[in-house]
Amino acid sequence: VLFRSADPSGLCIVDYATDDASFLVFEHLVHLGHRHIGFLDLPDSKHREERGYAWLIQKGYERAQRELSFECIRAGTDGSYDDAALMTEVLLRRSPHITAFVTTNGDGPIGVMHALRRRGIAVPESVSLAGVAREKWFRALSPQLTAAEIPLIDMVRRAAEAGLAHLTFESGDACDLFNVPDHTFHLTLSMFGVMFAPKPFEVAAEMVRVTRPGGRIVMGNWIPNDETRSEEHTSELQSR
């Protein structure tokens, strides 16, 4: 199984170590000399269940607090561009000595960057920024920032090596699955895939075609317009 489940009993799980990644982000900033770090975390409501992304981020942060010497000025955000920009302003008013920011997901890094630029604060000359975002967004910014993306393909292959040998891997055009007959699958799954396709409705139609009558189609997508808004904000930052 890829990623943790609510009940992992009897399952072999391949997941990325979000808690370790969270710790390493703070460790890296502290080793660079930062002692006042702004942390745009997820809302407290996301930490209540002892599983999932937010809980693991929290574990890494708590470890950093125990093992490293730094002051953390923290605020919860919903991960959106607007909320991240707003809370960046709030944290800077609360602690003008902040020299680095950590964001956790979504459009947050772009919102932080924009808020800093409005104040005339240069990244990375005056303030360091570490966050989780799509690599193409960070490459499009000026200056270009480094992003670490989730190695999904490698994770799938490791899951197969761990005992799911019945999996096969095929590359192709999701808009035209010509090599897959009608009504092939009991379950057709897309996790944050169709939403990024140039022609998402054609991909959805293909998913319906290759799924058996009575089968299931499961899709995971972000909130409407998140992708477009992020691209718009990236373009706006480029033009400034």
Side-chain angles (χ1 to χ4, degrees):
V1 177
L2 289 178
F3 310 118
R4 290 171 173 84
S5 64
D7 180 10
S9 303
L11 297 177
C12 177
I13 296 173
V14 176
D15 197 1
Y16 54 99
T18 307
D19 46 348
D20 288 340
S22 173
F23 171 80
L24 289 172
V25 166
F26 287 101
E27 183 183 53
H28 174 68
L29 292 174
V30 170
H31 285 174
L32 288 177
H34 296 287
R35 295 297 180 267
H36 303 278
I37 300 175
F39 180 26
L40 298 182
D41 195 6
L42 293 167
D44 289 339
S45 59
K46 297 288 187 181
H47 298 286
R48 290 171 186 164
E49 294 184 1
E50 293 190 353
R51 60 183 175 90
Y53 178 79
W55 178 66
L56 291 169
I57 288 283
Q58 173 73 11
K59 285 183 62 180
Y61 162 72
E62 291 173 351
R63 178 186 167 195
Q65 288 275 277
R66 291 192 306 268
E67 299 182 16
L68 306 173
S69 176
F70 69 99
E71 177 192 14
C72 186
I73 303 90
R74 184 178 175 189
T77 75
D78 61 11
S80 69
Y81 166 88
D82 292 326
D83 205 32
L86 173 64
M87 295 313 297
T88 299
E89 293 283 355
V90 170
L91 292 185
L92 286 171
R93 287 196 294 269
R94 189 188 306 171
S95 179
H97 303 298
I98 291 175
T99 59
F101 278 91
V102 174
T103 64
T104 55
N105 71 338
D107 302 344
I110 301 175
V112 174
M113 175 78 86
H114 202 161
L116 293 172
R117 286 195 174 179
R118 283 201 299 264
R119 281 177 163 254
I121 300 173
V123 176
E125 291 84 356
S126 300
V127 169
S128 293
L129 172 60
V132 178
R134 296 186 64 201
E135 187 178 6
K136 70 173 185 176
W137 296 344
F138 271 30
R139 285 201 309 265
L141 294 173
S142 178
Q144 291 186 357
L145 301 180
T146 300
E149 294 196 307
I150 299 168
L152 288 177
I153 299 300
D154 184 53
M155 289 171 63
V156 172
R157 295 191 186 279
R158 291 193 182 194
E161 292 168 1
L164 304 180
H166 60 280
L167 291 178
T168 58
F169 302 90
E170 294 188 23
S171 299
D173 183 356
C175 295
D176 182 17
L177 302 174
F178 64 90
N179 57 335
V180 180
D182 294 353
H183 308 154
T184 296
F185 304 117
H186 292 94
L187 171 65
T188 306
L189 175 69
S190 170
M191 296 304 294
F192 309 108
V194 174
M195 60 179 286
F196 293 118
K199 299 176 181 179
F201 292 103
E202 292 186 16
V203 178
E206 280 292 85
M207 292 178 70
V208 172
R209 180 184 67 79
V210 300
T211 304
R212 295 183 180 186
R216 289 191 300 163
I217 297 175
V218 179
M219 299 176 67
N221 299 297
W222 291 346
I223 347 176
N225 300 320
D226 262 14
E227 173 77 358
T228 302
R229 290 177 63 250
S230 301
E231 299 294 347
E232 288 175 352
H233 295 319
T234 301
S235 299
E236 185 178 354
L237 283 172
Q238 283 182 285
S239 65
R240 287 177 175 262

